[in-house]
Amino acid sequence: MILKCRSCDSLKIKNVVSLGFVPLANALLTEDQLDQPEEKFPLDLVFCEDCKLVQIVETVPAEKLFKSYVYLSSMSQTMLESSRELVEGIIKELGLGPEKGTVLEIGSNDGYLLKNYVKAGVKCIGVEPAQNIATVARDNGVHTITGFFNLDRAKELVKSGYQVDVLHANNVLAHVEDLNSVIAGIAVMLKPDGVAIVETHYVGDLIEKTQFDCIYHEHLCYYSATSISNLFAKHGLTMVKAERIAIHGGSLRAYFKRTDYLDKWDESPIIVEEKAKGMQKLAYYDWIGPEIMRLKMGLQWFVQYAKNTGKKLAAYGATAKSTTLLNFCGVGKESIEFIADSTPFKQGKYAPGTHIPIVEPSEIYNRNTDILLLTAWNFAEEIEKKESRFLEKGGKMFSPFSFHREGEWSL
Ligand code: DWN
């Protein structure tokens, strides 16, 4: 439980929305755990009026969340494609190859991104806390250290002669409790002209598209360009470029270089845009509360309507997001028969809180499902393509956000 901002220690952290007590997003259950008590933690989002960082109040220990993990980045072609394009562009721009360049990724998961550097012969190393995921990465030929990244880890790596030209931190800075140690570690890891490339879900998309299901205990922080720039600036790192990208429902990709090696730098246009939109004030964030309630009512109405019309409803994607969505909206196994998911670690398990069974995607055909609730809505296009046969035979797919605006759907 924090009383001050995770980034700047300010006491001026103001409430945005409270989602009550929710189970841990990826704490999937085995059959014999179903009748045991399940841990739930408060999920309250706050905004720091000083550094503008949006964050949750509760801190669940990282060991509990990440020591053995179920999320494989490679389960999505969209993720693989996005990472491949990014890496190929960097290799080309910086002229990296077997004789030039060293790369490190924090939270490197199953090697989904670094494998592109391995293929190009570029020296690279991953740091991944989950032993089971790190093993998958090594099996993919990616040199991976099992453990958390922080300032001490960075100093050890530099001492062993490993400073980098490129450091990646994709979808990891939202998860970090000791923010200032990790960012200080990034600064230490970078060669004088090195670049850190950070991708993170963008708080502007979360608020403006009511993506409240992206709020869960793994995500301690929710970044704007302003707040992430303020955080890195404290550690001598300047944001030299920032762009919004579509992945994960809308993300920020920001590039940082060492301030002491930079000439004067203009403020990012995204920060200028955020100021104009009022994202540096609480009012921009705290209107999401009523929107979330409208979305909850819309989803509950839809689920009831599907049931009343005899439609067989399932979900697609045992996502971390779905734990917040289904538990907060009170939608459970009485309405959703199962959750389809391609991840081997997840199949045969049960969703946190709702205990909905997680099964292979082929079950949508075997069990004559009529409607799929896309709990992996951020990959809707990929799923529609993959399950085109389901649509061709009259099946329907809806994102959870289809229901809180009139007329966007029909059964
Ligand atoms: O920050 C995080 C994001 C990046 O990933 C992590 N803390 C946890 C995780 O969140 P998530 O589980 O909500 O992420 P995804 O990537 O939306 O999860 C997609 C899920 O859907 C995976 O379990 C894989 C599954 N899937 C599938 O079964 N078939 C995905 C696709 C595209 C498919 O075709």
Side-chain angles (χ1 to χ4, degrees), residues 106-403:
I106 305 172
S108 48
N109 200 269
D110 58 3
Y112 74 101
L113 180 139
L114 289 178
K115 69 181 185 182
N116 296 291
Y117 285 110
V118 172
K119 189 174 158 201
V122 178
K123 195 175 166 200
C124 60
I125 191 166
V127 180
E128 169 53 48
Q131 175 60 56
N132 60 321
I133 306 284
T135 303
V136 175
R138 291 188 201 100
D139 294 346
N140 283 333
V142 176
H143 180 32
T144 303
I145 297 171
T146 302
F148 291 98
F149 180 85
N150 52 33
L151 181 55
D152 289 343
R153 171 87 61 192
K155 288 177 177 171
E156 278 168 26
L157 284 163
V158 171
K159 208 168 151 198
S160 65
Y162 203 90
Q163 261 199 322
V164 295
D165 301 280
V166 182
L167 182 145
H168 288 279
N170 271 14
N171 301 303
V172 64
L173 294 188
H175 305 69
V176 168
E177 180 182 353
D178 192 353
L179 265 183
N180 286 297
S181 172
V182 166
I183 311 303
I186 290 176
V188 161
M189 282 308 307
L190 287 182
K191 290 178 182 171
D193 61 347
V195 61
I197 304 170
V198 173
E199 277 185 27
T200 189
H201 187 227
Y202 182 54
V203 75
D205 286 300
L206 188 155
I207 297 295
E208 292 172 23
K209 299 173 187 168
T210 322
Q211 298 170 344
F212 80 97
D213 53 345
C214 294
I215 303 168
Y216 43 85
H217 299 97
E218 287 179 17
H219 289 175
L220 297 171
C221 299
Y222 303 76
Y223 293 102
S224 60
T226 303
S227 62
I228 202 165
S229 173
N230 289 338
L231 170 62
F232 275 70
K234 285 170 45 180
H235 297 279
L237 294 167
T238 295
M239 185 163 79
V240 295
K241 183 181 165 189
E243 54 200 359
R244 291 179 62 179
I245 56 176
I247 197 88
H248 286 301
S251 294
L252 189 67
R253 179 182 286 161
Y255 298 73
F256 296 89
K257 291 186 79 84
R258 291 179 55 171
T259 308
D260 45 350
Y261 288 88
L262 271 180
D263 299 329
K264 187 186 161 319
W265 206 266
D266 295 333
E267 190 165 67
S268 156
I270 295 186
I271 291 179
V272 175
E273 180 192 292
E274 287 177 354
K275 275 184 192 152
K277 283 165 71 172
M279 286 179 72
Q280 306 202 349
K281 298 204 178 337
L282 176 62
Y284 172 84
Y285 300 92
D286 64 5
W287 70 272
I288 194 175
E291 274 296 292
I292 292 172
M293 291 316 290
R294 287 179 63 203
L295 196 149
K296 172 176 177 175
M297 288 187 286
L299 181 59
Q300 286 177 336
W301 188 88
F302 166 74
V303 163
Q304 192 54 50
Y305 180 74
K307 203 167 179 177
N308 294 347
T309 48
K311 302 290 184 191
K312 288 167 69 74
L313 178 60
Y316 200 106
T319 54
K321 298 187 281 289
S322 64
T323 300
T324 297
L325 178 82
L326 300 177
N327 281 280
F328 179 76
C329 294
V331 173
K333 60 184 180 186
E334 76 293 335
S335 317
I336 295 190
E337 190 183 353
F338 59 85
I339 303 176
D341 197 291
S342 320
T343 314
F345 289 140
K346 297 186 178 182
Q347 292 164 358
K349 299 249 177 58
Y350 296 80
T354 61
H355 299 183
I356 299 170
I358 301 166
V359 298
E360 287 187 38
S362 56
E363 286 302 300
I364 67 177
Y365 304 102
N366 303 339
R367 303 192 199 188
N368 301 313
T369 301
D370 297 307
I371 302 171
L372 286 173
L373 179 66
L374 293 184
T375 36
W377 48 265
N378 45 316
F379 296 130
E381 218 174 287
E382 179 176 346
I383 294 167
E384 283 160 11
K385 233 179 263 162
K386 183 182 280 187
E387 305 301 354
S388 55
R389 187 160 64 91
F390 175 80
L391 296 169
E392 282 150 17
K393 73 183 193 55
K396 296 203 177 223
M397 293 181 185
F398 294 106
S399 124
F401 307 103
S402 311
F403 314 114

